[in-house]
Amino acid sequence: MANRFLKPEVIASAALGLLERDLVLTNLVWTDGAFDFTGAKNDTVTIRIPARLKAREYGWRNDRSEAIVMDELHEDRIDVSLHKDIYSAVPVTDEELTLDIADFGEKILAPQTRAIAEAVDDNVAALIENAPYRTTLPLDGRDPYVSVVAARKTLNRSFVPKGGRYLLVGSDVEEKILLSERFNRMDSTGEGAAVSALQEATVGRIAGFTVVTSEAIDPEAAYAFVPSAFAVATRAPAIPDGAAFGSSQSYNGLAMRWIRDYDSARLRDRSVVNIFGGFNVMRDPVGDERPDGTREKGLVRAVKLDLNATPAPAPTPRRSTSK
């Protein structure tokens, strides 16, 4: 029977599938592996934010003495720069390849792609946790639902799309949610799925949010956002001419490269998986327009909730002065 060797494209595609499966946080944000960074200044590409206008009204049956007001369009932008080279490199000796490794993908590539997945997720976690939030709300541990509704209200007031919203929670916040009497009642009466729908990292849906838990973030924090609040760009590095064989693949917003060559000085193979990555926060124009037509920018597509945040003091009831 003839020997059967896997082509590098087949192995790289399988590895990319493993990477996507292992990712948690990266699947919650906006990703794109198709950006063309070739020749881009400072390895940076620009994402356009469409201009927004407010309609005006012209007086009904007026004497036409005044002209209509002409508005100017001002597009905005967000830059995403490649600044991370995330890799996993593993040597494989002749003895290991001959006697120990029956399935190269399972024994070598699977652990490598898991390592890449964890590193990418850690970068996304750092992006989310260190973002400059315009709004941080206290999270009520006794009744988290009230705080989640407050976050929903904040996003609504900023005209953030209602579809595809996530509530990313740390382990302590997840515990508060799962032990909340309100959510237990909702689950038992069929009005929600906060407890019974707990599968892997997804807790359920709460007040229009899909709730996902992660050990990579502060256990006492939660973040309400839409995917476009955080941008992640990846690019597969070019395959070097000196590599024995390898492949670059892009799928579902992810890009990676796998190469394998032989180190003759040490009689061993080398398997290397890596990704170029860039991470940034989406800042939208806020406030009134400046004289030069620009506006202040801020993160309005996401809200932070914190178990340790101090609640705003309740207003003092006004006493009646009537006698």
Side-chain angles (χ1 to χ4, degrees):
M1 181 180 294
N3 292 323
R4 180 176 179 268
F5 296 102
L6 288 178
K7 295 182 181 296
E9 290 81 2
V10 175
I11 297 179
S13 296
L16 191 62
L18 289 169
L19 175 62
E20 183 191 8
R21 182 191 63 193
D22 287 336
L23 292 175
V24 177
L25 301 186
T26 307
N27 287 328
L28 306 183
V29 300
W30 187 84
T31 60
D32 196 317
F35 279 138
D36 186 6
F37 287 88
T38 305
K41 183 179 180 181
N42 298 323
D43 305 320
T44 300
V45 294
T46 297
I47 304 171
R48 289 183 177 179
I49 302 176
R52 291 185 61 180
L53 292 173
K54 288 186 177 181
R56 302 177 183 271
E57 289 191 13
Y58 195 55
W60 183 254
R61 291 186 180 274
N62 67 72
D63 59 7
R64 278 17 183 207
S65 60
E66 295 185 5
I68 61 174
V69 177
M70 305 298 292
D71 295 310
E72 294 183 355
L73 291 170
H74 296 281
E75 280 190 338
D76 224 307
R77 54 184 280 178
I78 176 176
D79 293 334
V80 180
S81 301
L82 291 178
H83 59 280
K84 297 277 187 175
D85 186 353
I86 302 171
Y87 75 93
S88 172
V90 174
V92 183
T93 66
D94 288 350
E95 296 89 341
E96 291 170 335
L97 191 60
T98 304
L99 303 174
D100 301 334
I101 300 174
D103 187 330
F104 191 91
E106 178 185 353
K107 297 292 186 179
I108 306 298
L109 276 179
Q112 287 187 284
T113 53
R114 277 194 293 270
I116 296 291
E118 292 173 1
V120 172
D121 258 18
D122 286 344
N123 277 275
V124 176
L127 178 70
I128 293 174
E129 290 200 298
N130 298 319
Y133 293 92
R134 285 178 59 86
T135 304
T136 298
L137 301 174
L139 183 59
D140 188 341
R142 296 166 299 179
D143 191 1
Y145 185 79
V146 174
S147 304
V148 175
V149 171
R152 175 185 174 89
K153 179 180 178 180
T154 301
L155 294 178
N156 289 347
R157 286 185 168 180
S158 296
F159 307 104
V160 176
K162 294 182 175 64
R165 291 182 178 181
Y166 288 103
L167 181 68
L168 178 65
V169 302
S171 55
D172 288 359
V173 178
E174 179 193 19
E175 179 187 25
K176 301 294 184 183
I177 289 175
L178 296 179
L179 293 178
S180 168
E181 291 184 3
R182 182 192 294 265
F183 291 119
N184 286 334
R185 287 200 304 271
M186 289 175 63
D187 181 58
S188 62
T189 58
E191 296 178 8
V195 176
S196 62
L198 180 59
Q199 296 178 350
E200 297 181 352
T202 302
V203 177
R205 286 188 60 81
I206 300 172
F209 294 93
T210 298
V211 185
V212 178
T213 183
S214 173
E215 299 298 330
I217 66 170
D218 181 351
E220 297 185 335
Y223 304 90
F225 59 90
V226 290
S228 60
F230 308 102
V232 176
T234 59
R235 177 73 184 268
I239 301 172
D241 293 336
F245 56 85
S247 180
S248 295
Q249 299 284 335
S250 178
Y251 176 72
N252 199 26
L254 301 174
M256 64 170 286
R257 176 188 69 178
W258 174 71
I259 58 175
R260 181 177 171 184
D261 66 359
Y262 191 67
D263 181 0
S264 59
R266 294 175 175 83
L267 300 180
R268 63 182 184 180
D269 264 15
R270 292 175 295 196
S271 175
V272 180
V273 179
N274 67 325
I275 283 179
F276 289 164
F279 308 83
N280 205 354
V281 173
M282 181 70 75
R283 294 174 174 85
D284 288 283
V286 295
D288 296 329
E289 191 173 281
R290 301 185 181 112
D292 61 358
T294 63
R295 296 164 66 186
E296 179 189 352
K297 293 182 182 180
L299 175 58
V300 299
R301 304 184 188 213
V303 173
K304 180 178 180 179
L305 300 100
D306 192 341
L307 281 171
N308 295 318
T310 303
T316 303
R318 298 181 63 183
R319 295 183 179 181
S320 174
T321 57
S322 60
K323 295 183 179 180

